[in-house]
Amino acid sequence: MTDNTINDRFIKAFSELEKLKLFSSKSSFAADMGVSSSALSDILKSRHGVSAKILNLLFEKYNVRYEYIFEGELPILKGVFPLADEHDNLHVSGNLATYQVSKPTNGHKNGDKSLVPFYDVDFAAGSVAFYDDPSQSKVAYKMDIPDFTGCIAFRAYGDSMMPLITSGSMVFATKVDNWAEHLEYGRIYSIVCNDGHKYMKYVRRHRQKPNDLYILHSENDTYDDFDLKKSSIRNIWLIHGWVMKVV
């Protein structure tokens, strides 16, 4: 790989950051890179090569992927995922943050690649039956996100888990088939009830009636804890992570 190749990728990364308006001006970007505006201009016009120090600042401050600069592997930015199917269209803009709390262990496979299907449903308002078997529903698009292979993705709206999970975040989940026998307390779960109610909460052990009840706890402290009967639960999904827009 030549220095020109790395420089060309730096220029393309700069253009992507500029298009997404992730810096206020070229001079502010130059300051973030530790160079003068004229030095940045020379790099962007391919008069001078980009240094390792600048690249490290690019990775640290703007979430540009190491793999893109040195290997040409898309996407350019962390948290912006390429589509697995070239016929689909996923437009992601803005500054994104990706949070992962665990990796799924019971992954599914779609063809030759492990893909994450996104279903264009709101968890709180979606069909109860959907969570019995999402594979019977139409997939809006599929994403190549190795860390979340085996999950499905859908939207979570509401403020009960804020500021941890903001309203509109894309969450990644797997169905817990044996939740009645064993559930790991303290984790975030999406819970679907027989009567259609749905909750995204921390699940805690009930001290007085552990065989009959769970305690559901919100991140947002304006919401009180409450008991939920195990007999009222239809299915439970473990949340492995989420993608949210950073304002």
Side-chain angles (χ1 to χ4, degrees):
M1 182 193 310
T2 66
D3 290 340
N4 286 340
T5 300
I6 293 176
N7 204 75
D8 289 344
R9 290 174 185 161
F10 174 87
I11 294 170
K12 189 170 181 179
F14 170 85
S15 297
E16 182 71 7
L17 295 168
E18 185 177 42
K19 181 176 68 177
L20 295 175
K21 298 180 180 180
L22 297 184
F23 51 83
S24 58
S25 65
K26 286 186 179 179
S27 60
S28 68
F29 179 81
D32 284 341
M33 297 298 101
V35 297
S36 66
S37 295
S38 60
L40 174 64
S41 179
D42 285 340
I43 294 171
L44 296 178
K45 292 178 181 179
S46 298
R47 293 173 181 164
H48 293 297
V50 61
S51 68
K53 180 180 178 180
I54 292 174
L55 291 177
N56 285 331
L57 289 169
L58 186 71
F59 302 144
E60 177 184 342
K61 293 180 178 291
Y62 286 97
N63 282 331
V64 172
R65 298 177 65 243
Y66 176 97
E67 293 84 354
Y68 170 72
I69 294 295
F70 291 105
E71 301 172 16
E73 178 186 298
L74 293 171
I76 296 174
L77 305 180
K78 295 177 183 177
V80 180
F81 305 117
L83 287 178
D85 188 334
E86 64 182 0
H87 300 295
D88 290 328
N89 288 295
L90 171 59
H91 176 67
V92 181
S93 62
N95 193 12
L96 300 178
T98 305
Y99 297 87
Q100 182 178 12
V101 292
S102 65
K103 286 190 175 183
T105 57
N106 56 338
H108 62 263
K109 298 281 184 177
N110 291 290
D112 296 330
K113 295 186 70 177
S114 300
L115 308 176
V116 177
F118 173 77
Y119 296 91
D120 192 14
V121 298
D122 169 7
F123 172 72
S127 165
V128 173
F130 166 80
Y131 296 97
D132 293 335
D133 187 3
S135 66
Q136 299 302 311
S137 300
K138 182 180 179 181
V139 176
Y141 48 78
K142 297 176 182 177
M143 299 173 288
D144 187 3
I145 315 173
D147 285 342
F148 292 114
T149 294
C151 294
I152 68 165
F154 50 85
R155 294 287 181 189
Y157 293 96
D159 63 352
S160 69
M161 293 303 291
M162 290 180 65
L164 187 66
I165 303 177
T166 59
S167 184
S169 294
M170 179 187 293
V171 297
F172 300 87
T174 55
K175 191 175 183 181
V176 182
D177 293 323
N178 63 338
W179 63 266
E181 287 76 36
H182 173 74
L183 200 68
E184 187 176 353
Y185 294 114
R187 301 283 294 276
I188 301 173
Y189 295 91
S190 291
I191 301 168
V192 181
C193 296
N194 294 319
D195 63 2
H197 282 87
K198 290 178 285 294
Y199 306 100
M200 188 172 294
K201 306 284 186 184
Y202 293 104
V203 175
R204 293 179 171 175
R205 183 178 182 274
H206 198 283
R207 295 187 180 276
Q208 285 74 39
K209 299 181 179 180
N211 294 327
D212 301 319
L213 302 172
Y214 289 130
I215 296 175
L216 300 192
H217 175 75
S218 301
E219 180 73 18
N220 187 338
D221 60 13
T222 63
Y223 287 80
D224 291 333
D225 292 355
F226 62 94
D227 298 345
L228 182 68
K229 291 181 179 180
K230 292 184 179 181
S231 61
S232 70
I233 296 173
R234 182 169 180 142
N235 54 58
I236 293 181
W237 291 74
L238 173 61
I239 303 300
H240 293 277
W242 52 91
V243 173
M244 56 188 281
K245 186 173 182 179
V246 179
V247 179

